[in-house]
Amino acid sequence: MSSSFSTPFNTSALGSWGFNTSAPSRPLAAYGWDDAWAAEFAPYAEQGLVPGRVVRVDRGQCDVATADGTLRADTAYVTPHDPMRVICTGDWAVVEPGGDPRFVRAYLPRRTAFVRSTSSNRSEAQILAANVDHAIIAVSLAVELDLGRIERFLALAWESGAQPLVVLTKADLVPDPVGLSYLVRDVETAAPGVQVLPVSATTGEGIEILAAVVAGGTSVLLGQSGAGKSTLANALLGAEVMEVQAARDVDGKGRHTTTTRNLLVLPGGGVLIDTPGLRGVGLYDAQSGVGQVFAEIEELAADCRFHDCAHGAEPGCAVLAAVEDGSLAERRLDSYRKLLRENQRIVAKTDARLRAEIRREWKAKGAEGRANGLLKRGR
């Protein structure tokens, strides 16, 4: 099987970052391997299988970084019907030690998983990255801030189990420090408990701080096309590894520079998963994540007169009282309601789909049983 495949980045620069397929240039520890992963892998080690971190998935195959270098493996054995169980970038794979082609036999239980609903109306999940410690939400300062979209990303990030971080890219386009501080403050109000960091790949502002934050684990880089994710990845890598395309001046949007999710080892420590720009960011069973983003509203709701208060027109609503006295922005409440409604719809659709699938399985099993009965009776 040929190992050639299309790539959106400069492969000649990968050897120095641990992607050399001929010889290992870094131990697996550089990819996040630790004693806990080793303990999880122990039963597979007894079978002579080898561990590796999935650095890229495409076309039913994946690239896996092992102690002997990066290899190409087929994912046929780990491609179930459930989209939540398909192998993805960031997984720790269980790989055959030899053979052509090689196969991924399993993957270790995930510590965290960043999941969104698909853009279709089928209420299905799409897993974007696994075993992530930090979710970096890149937001371009070249265009007007969309606080609602930031809150949406944050809900998914909190739900994943990762620690969110909002990075305001292209900070050099806001030369006035006072104006920049206002923008940071606006985002901080939409991201309670989350660090908000203005950065500029052009001037280097904030890059060292960001590199120190992500040095201790695995980070996934998220955002819309044109947010400057590939430029930011290059700044963290210290090399032009990811291709960069200019965003349109009119709306700050760009074409999808990154077309697959790629895991890259950072020279200062840690690994980075770069993702394609996300046009749609649908919630998927993210109620706790929404609650984390709007923690101040849920704290206020505890003082409402009715435990099932919808914060609409009920008497004794502490949330509405906070809006009236100005301590809670009405925009925040509107965004909270919108995300909760969306999440409730997707959960209801998911439950209905699962029930329909169970009914289909029952019918299929019943038909099979009836057919077997007829065969036994010689009909």
Side-chain angles (χ1 to χ4, degrees), residues 106-191:
Y107 59 83
L108 300 184
R110 293 161 177 157
R111 294 177 182 174
T112 62
F114 194 96
V115 181
R116 67 165 179 173
S117 65
T118 61
S119 57
S120 68
N121 294 320
R122 298 178 62 187
S123 69
E124 292 182 346
Q126 179 189 22
I127 181 166
L128 299 180
N131 302 313
V132 171
D133 302 296
H134 307 283
I136 305 172
I137 301 166
V139 179
S140 173
L141 290 177
V143 294
E144 185 176 355
L145 290 175
D146 185 343
L147 298 179
R149 178 170 286 272
I150 294 173
E151 289 162 344
R152 180 180 293 272
F153 271 109
L154 287 169
L156 292 175
W158 282 122
E159 190 69 31
S160 74
Q163 172 66 46
L165 167 66
V166 179
V167 172
L168 303 180
T169 65
K170 309 179 184 181
D172 53 289
L173 299 181
V174 188
D176 177 19
V178 176
L180 180 59
S181 68
Y182 286 148
L183 292 173
V184 171
R185 187 180 64 183
D186 287 344
V187 176
E188 288 175 339
T189 61

Side-chain angles (χ1 to χ4, degrees), residues 40-364:
E40 290 277 5
F41 189 79
Y44 297 107
E46 293 175 357
Q47 302 172 37
L49 300 169
V50 297
R53 191 87 190 261
V54 177
V55 299
R56 173 186 165 101
V57 179
D58 67 311
R59 304 176 187 175
Q61 295 182 312
C62 64
D63 297 336
V64 184
T66 72
D68 294 324
T70 301
L71 55 85
R72 190 77 160 160
D74 197 296
T75 64
Y77 286 98
V78 284
T79 309
H81 295 296
D82 183 354
M84 286 287 288
R85 296 175 59 197
V86 300
I87 198 162
C88 73
T89 303
D91 273 324
W92 281 101
V94 179
V95 188
E96 295 175 338
D100 186 19
R102 292 189 181 185
F103 288 92
V104 174
R105 290 293 178 174
Y107 59 83
L108 300 184
R110 293 161 177 157
R111 294 177 182 174
T112 62
F114 194 96
V115 181
R116 67 165 179 173
S117 65
T118 61
S119 57
S120 68
N121 294 320
R122 298 178 62 187
S123 69
E124 292 182 346
Q126 179 189 22
I127 181 166
L128 299 180
N131 302 313
V132 171
D133 302 296
H134 307 283
I136 305 172
I137 301 166
V139 179
S140 173
L141 290 177
V143 294
E144 185 176 355
L145 290 175
D146 185 343
L147 298 179
R149 178 170 286 272
I150 294 173
E151 289 162 344
R152 180 180 293 272
F153 271 109
L154 287 169
L156 292 175
W158 282 122
E159 190 69 31
S160 74
Q163 172 66 46
L165 167 66
V166 179
V167 172
L168 303 180
T169 65
K170 309 179 184 181
D172 53 289
L173 299 181
V174 188
D176 177 19
V178 176
L180 180 59
S181 68
Y182 286 148
L183 292 173
V184 171
R185 187 180 64 183
D186 287 344
V187 176
E188 288 175 339
T189 61
V194 176
Q195 183 177 2
V196 179
L197 178 65
V199 304
S200 169
T202 301
T203 65
E205 176 186 356
I207 297 298
E208 288 188 5
I209 298 175
L210 179 59
V213 171
V214 303
T218 298
S219 303
V220 62
L221 188 54
L222 305 156
Q224 290 182 284
S225 296
K229 297 189 303 301
S230 295
T231 302
L232 187 59
N234 285 337
L236 290 171
L237 289 162
E240 297 296 317
V241 174
M242 306 302 296
E243 290 184 1
V244 177
Q245 295 176 349
R248 298 187 302 230
D249 291 335
V250 63
D251 57 9
K253 295 181 179 179
R255 296 190 300 276
H256 290 302
T257 303
T258 305
T259 56
T260 58
R261 289 173 283 279
N262 307 290
L263 186 147
L264 307 163
V265 176
L266 299 174
V271 294
L272 179 71
I273 300 176
D274 191 24
T275 65
L278 300 176
R279 292 191 179 93
V281 192
L283 301 183
Y284 187 83
D285 197 7
Q287 182 170 346
S288 64
V290 173
Q292 187 81 18
V293 177
F294 299 93
E296 82 277 28
I297 296 179
E298 301 222 327
E299 289 176 5
L300 288 168
D303 294 328
C304 290
R305 181 181 302 176
F306 304 106
H307 74 276
D308 58 348
C309 183
H311 320 307
E314 296 88 344
C317 176
V319 175
L320 293 179
V323 172
E324 290 176 3
D325 67 23
S327 59
L328 175 65
E330 188 171 1
R331 186 207 67 79
R332 286 279 286 172
L333 179 57
D334 290 341
S335 183
Y336 175 67
R337 289 168 172 161
K338 178 181 179 180
L339 292 182
L340 275 185
R341 287 195 300 268
E342 178 183 328
N343 191 68
Q344 290 167 354
R345 284 197 300 270
I346 197 69
V347 169
K349 285 183 179 180
T350 301
D351 289 345
R353 178 173 57 81
L354 290 175
R355 288 194 297 271
E357 289 177 356
I358 292 171
R359 284 196 296 270
R360 283 195 295 271
E361 289 179 2
W362 284 347
K363 288 180 180 179

